[in-house]
Structures are given as C-alpha cells and as structure tokens.
C-alpha cells in the first residue's frame, strides 16, 4: 500500500497533495513512511552532484557584483596533477556550494518573509501553544540527558544548560532575542532575581502573555520589547549576555544580525546561539509542504554556519546536541496535540477561523511527525541542534596587551 500512496502523491500537484494531508485521512504510520522517503530525497538533493534547483538557491540572481564574486570563488571541475586528471571530490563540491551559500546570504536582507514567519509560528493564540507544548511553553528543542525526563523536566534541563553555558549570574543584564512565550525569560528571572532580564519578540500575543505571567509571579526584573529584529537597534554596549533560540533559522544575512548583536553587547559580552541544523550542509526552504505551511523564507543552517560569520563576534565554544533530543520533544508535542484536541479547538478557531480549525489541527500533527522523523534520521547524527557561544572582543584590552609586548 505504501508504494501506491507514495506514487499517487508524486503525481498530484501541490494543491491536491495538501488537500489529502489536510483531510487527516492518512494514518500516522503511513505518514511516517512517506516522510522518511521525502527526507532521503532531501539528502540526495544536498549531496553532490547538486541538482539545478539547489544550485539556483546559491546563484547571483541578477546581482552583477555577486556574480563576479561567485565566479572568482568558483573551483575547477578537474584538478591537473602530473600526468593525471583527478576529479574534484564530493566534499570539495560540498565546500564550494557552502562558500557560495555563505556569500549569497551576505547580499540579502537580515530576514525575508517576516510577516509569514510571524503568522505561521508566533502571532497565534497562546492557548494553542500552552496545550501543545510543555508547562514552560518552550517552542524549541528540550534536553533529555537520561531519556526518562518528562517534557516539563526536559524543558528545564535545557534552560539550565543555557544558564551554565552563558555563566549567568546576579548583576548581569541579559537579552533573549526572539523570546517566544518567555520560557527562558521567566525561568531566568525566577532563578536569578538579581539579573535584569529583557526579552525581544515580534509578537503582540507573546508580549501580552509574558507580561501577565511576570505580574502573576511577582517578577520585577522582566522587560519585554516588541519589534522587528531586522531594523530594531538596541542600546549600545548594554547587555552582558544574550541568548537566541531558534531565531537564526528565519534569518538570511547572518553577518548583519551578528553585527547588530555585537553592538548590543558590552566588550567581553557573550551570545549563545541555539539553532537546529544539518550536520554539514545548509539549504533554504524554497518549496514543499513545510515551506508553504510553517517555514516560508526559512533556512536549514549547517552546524558550522555561524563560524563563517565572525567579523564582529568571535567563537569561544561550539557544541552538537544529537537530534534524538528534538525528536523526543516533538513526540511529546504530538502526544499533547492528540490528547488535548478538544481544549485546543477554540484556540485554533480563534487563530485560523472555525472552518479551518480541524485542518490546522491536522497540520500541526504533520509538522510534529515530519520534524521528529527528520531529527531521528541516522540515529540523530544528520540533523540536530548546535550551541555556539560567541564573545565580543574587548578592543581596549587587546590594545593594552599589544602595548605591553
């Protein structure tokens, strides 16, 4: 049956395919098999030789200066050795593709499709997320060091990991860039009452929820700013530490965003970036169900992506978190989505309309299934999560060090 359904979906256009998925008629077991097939297709696309549609995502697209830069970076297809014509290796092709990828994003805005990203993931009824996610409403990967943690415990394990890796303590000024529903902001404000905690969000509903929750908990050290991170400027040299959790995946010009964060940090200040990723190869979400429904304008970073953007901030430490942790988080979210359907329906109707509430309940299930299967591929070692800790150089100290030589 699976090959028949797979062939059927292959021959349907996007509208018909989406209609079948929206109907909820396909059992989860069937969906998982189809999803695994699509993931293998995706892996084939980002493995040399790259298909034309992938190459097109790292092309100049009418930008003459970028075209010249890419031609300058281009490597030959064959390498001439004494008496031998040696083909360039597949890894060489991958690196050439990555260099083009990094160069093209430097010529893009900090983010594109920001309205779509907000509409799809953030400017939605809090009741949807409160029923779907864990008690901290952490809309990102949690951490399961023993594998036996509940979702609530795993949320706090990851939050504690942020505290440890950033070295957060009383007296600091902390910024959460893309704070979601305040999982980190509220937790840190409770754990470290002597620290100023600032959250930045582009969502009105998120700010309303966090403000109300902070008031309920009596937290006086929380402040939430709303705006668009592409054009908002923070007070210069203000923050000691900053965190960004699964925001960079919605960005394009990482160099511009890292420069913005550098301006916000004091000299010696640190930024911890948590982003999901492919182990080796970045790519844009240009087409497909996920791009249309949940991730318009999004990017799958590579684990090393931000190491190529150290003009303003310098890498200090770099960690890989196995995709198993995200898959387990998503399976917990899926279980909640199924078990709490009736509680979610009024909030789904509020966000998407009465006529689309059931459709979106089905879509969220597919989102969890697709993402979970992706992160568990190859034992969690193909797609996973990266933590990258950056520091703003203290130029005065560097100059002093040079003078002391």
């Amino acid at each position: 049956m699976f090959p028949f359904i797979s062939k059927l979906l292959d021959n349907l256009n996007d509208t018909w395919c989406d209609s079948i998925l929206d109907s909820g008629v396909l059992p989860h077991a069937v969906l998982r098999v189809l999803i695994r097939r699509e993931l293998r297709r995706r892996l084939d696309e980002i493995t040399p030789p790259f298909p034309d549609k992938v190459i097109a995502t790292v092309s100049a697209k009418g930008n003459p200066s970028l075209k010249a830069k890419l031609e300058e970076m281009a490597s030959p297809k064959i390498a001439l050795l004494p008496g031998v014509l040696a083909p360039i290796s597949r890894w060489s092709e991958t690196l050439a593709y990555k260099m083009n990828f990094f160069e093209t994003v430097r010529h893009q805005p900090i983010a594109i499709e920001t309205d779509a990203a907000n509409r799809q993931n953030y400017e939605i009824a809090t009741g949807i997320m409160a029923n779907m996610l864990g008690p901290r409403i952490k809309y990102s990967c949690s951490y399961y060091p023993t594998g036996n943690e509940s979702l609530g415990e795993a949320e706090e394990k990851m939050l504690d990991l942020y505290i440890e890796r950033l070295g957060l303590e009383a007296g600091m000024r902390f910024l959460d860039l893309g704070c979601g529903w305040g999982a980190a902001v509220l937790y840190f404000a409770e754990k470290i009452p002597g620290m100023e905690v600032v959250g930045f969000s582009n969502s009105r509903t998120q700010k309303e929820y966090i403000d109300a929750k902070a008031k309920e908990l009596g937290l006086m050290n929380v402040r939430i700013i709303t705006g668009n991170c592409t054009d908002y400027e923070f007070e210069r040299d203000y923050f000691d530490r900053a965190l960004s959790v699964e925001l960079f995946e919605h960005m394009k010009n990482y160099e511009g965003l890292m420069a913005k964060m550098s301006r916000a940090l004091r000299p010696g200040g640190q930024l911890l970036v948590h982003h999901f990723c492919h182990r080796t190869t970045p790519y844009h979400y240009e087409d497909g169900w996920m791009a249309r429904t949940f991730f318009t304008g999004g990017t799958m970073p590579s684990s090393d992506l931000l190491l190529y953007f150290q003009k303003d901030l310098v890498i200090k430490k770099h960690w890989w978190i196995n995709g198993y942790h995200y898959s387990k988080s998503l399976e917990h979210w899926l279980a909640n989505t199924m078990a709490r359907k009736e509680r979610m329906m009024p909030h789904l109707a509020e966000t998407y309309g009465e006529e689309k509430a059931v459709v979106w309940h089905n879509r969220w299930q597919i989102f969890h299934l697709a993402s979970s299967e992706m992160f568990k591929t190859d034992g969690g070692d193909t797609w996973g999560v990266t933590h990258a800790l950056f520091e703003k150089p203290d130029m005065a100290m560097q100059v002093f060090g040079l003078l002391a030589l």
Side-chain angles (χ1 to χ4, degrees):
M1 181 179 73
F2 292 153
F4 169 75
I5 295 173
S6 178
K7 181 63 71 175
L8 175 65
L9 291 175
D10 273 344
N11 288 283
L12 293 174
N13 62 30
D14 289 343
T15 302
W16 279 101
C17 185
D18 286 358
S19 296
I20 291 173
L21 295 175
D22 286 348
S23 70
V25 299
L26 296 179
H28 285 185
V30 173
L31 288 169
R32 287 184 189 272
V33 171
L34 297 175
I35 288 163
R36 289 170 197 151
R37 184 204 65 162
E38 288 303 307
L39 290 169
R40 287 299 163 189
R41 181 182 294 178
R42 169 67 79 177
L43 287 174
D44 287 343
E45 288 181 352
I46 60 171
T47 302
F50 298 105
D52 289 343
K53 75 172 189 176
V54 173
I55 294 297
T57 67
V58 294
S59 67
K61 298 183 180 178
N63 183 326
S65 63
L66 177 56
K67 183 174 186 293
K69 182 71 174 177
L70 295 181
E71 288 173 352
E72 178 187 327
M73 294 166 55
S75 57
K77 295 299 179 188
I78 56 173
L80 185 60
L81 300 178
V84 181
L85 286 177
I88 293 293
S89 70
R90 285 193 165 194
W91 182 236
S92 294
E93 289 188 52
T94 298
L95 284 177
Y97 161 81
K98 287 173 72 169
M99 294 306 103
N100 280 13
F101 183 99
F102 301 145
E103 190 61 34
T104 55
V105 295
R106 286 189 175 97
H107 288 73
Q108 292 189 324
I110 287 179
I112 62 173
E113 303 286 0
T114 52
D115 289 343
N118 204 28
R119 185 175 63 252
Q120 291 167 349
N121 291 279
Y122 305 112
E123 199 67 78
I124 60 181
T126 299
I128 295 174
M129 312 310 281
N131 282 292
M132 186 170 69
L133 306 179
R136 294 279 174 183
I137 319 186
K138 187 180 190 303
Y139 186 33
S140 55
C141 179
S142 292
Y143 188 51
Y144 299 79
T146 71
N148 298 317
E149 288 81 7
S150 67
L151 178 55
E153 290 168 340
E155 285 182 325
E156 294 193 0
K157 291 289 186 184
M158 185 64 88
L159 294 169
D160 285 333
L161 200 57
Y162 300 151
I163 292 174
E164 176 189 329
R165 290 180 171 174
L166 276 166
L168 297 181
E169 58 187 36
M172 285 183 171
R173 294 167 172 171
F174 167 81
L175 170 66
D176 185 354
L177 182 69
C179 63
W181 281 267
V185 165
L186 295 168
Y187 187 73
F188 296 171
E190 288 180 88
K191 295 272 284 191
I192 313 172
M195 182 173 72
E196 180 184 349
V197 180
V198 178
F200 184 87
S201 169
N202 60 354
S203 166
R204 171 188 53 82
T205 55
Q206 289 178 347
K207 175 176 168 54
E208 289 173 354
Y209 172 78
I210 298 169
D211 284 344
K213 195 69 177 176
K215 184 176 181 181
E216 174 191 324
L217 296 170
L219 300 174
M220 306 301 292
N221 56 332
V222 173
R223 175 164 57 97
I224 303 301
I225 303 169
T226 54
N228 187 327
C229 73
T230 62
D231 53 30
Y232 188 90
E233 283 294 329
F234 299 98
E235 184 176 342
R236 280 181 173 269
D237 301 329
Y238 186 81
F239 294 101
D240 299 285
R241 296 289 188 270
L243 171 70
S244 181
V245 178
E246 297 184 23
L247 170 81
F248 276 65
E249 298 88 330
H250 296 285
M251 302 294 115
K252 296 297 182 185
N253 190 327
Y254 309 103
E255 194 165 88
L257 185 54
M258 294 291 273
K260 184 187 291 286
M261 293 309 298
S262 176
R263 291 191 294 272
L265 288 168
R266 66 164 180 77
Q270 294 183 340
L271 164 70
L272 179 66
V273 180
H274 161 137
H275 66 76
F276 57 73
C277 57
H278 184 270
R279 184 179 60 203
T280 61
T281 311
Y283 55 88
H284 298 299
Y285 279 78
E286 298 276 342
D287 56 19
W289 182 87
M290 190 65 78
R292 291 192 300 274
T293 312
F294 282 96
F295 208 30
T296 303
T299 295
M300 175 63 69
S302 55
S303 178
D304 63 351
L305 182 144
L306 292 178
L307 305 189
Y308 290 85
F309 298 92
Q310 297 189 58
K311 183 178 176 182
D312 298 281
L313 297 171
V314 178
I315 191 71
K316 301 298 290 182
K317 291 185 179 180
H318 186 205
W319 299 268
W320 167 266
I321 294 176
N322 186 280
Y324 153 85
H325 296 275
Y326 216 150
S327 177
K328 197 162 179 65
S329 305
L330 286 150
E331 294 294 341
H332 270 140
W333 298 353
L334 175 63
N336 286 346
T337 301
M338 299 296 294
R340 301 171 182 174
K341 178 180 179 180
E342 295 308 313
R343 286 157 57 178
M344 289 179 66
M345 289 305 287
H347 305 291
L348 290 164
E350 175 190 345
T351 300
Y352 305 112
E354 290 281 355
E355 71 285 357
K356 290 287 188 179
V358 172
V359 166
W360 275 95
H361 188 259
N362 292 331
R363 287 177 179 174
W364 278 108
Q365 291 175 63
I366 296 169
F367 172 79
H368 301 326
L369 286 165
S371 301
S372 175
E373 290 296 329
M374 179 181 75
F375 284 111
K376 70 170 65 168
T377 300
D378 300 329
D381 252 355
T382 295
W383 284 281
V385 170
T386 275
H387 282 184
L389 181 67
F390 292 89
E391 186 171 280
K392 179 176 178 176
D394 189 332
M395 300 307 294
M397 291 300 294
Q398 289 185 16
V399 170
F400 180 78
L402 290 172
L403 292 174
L405 291 177

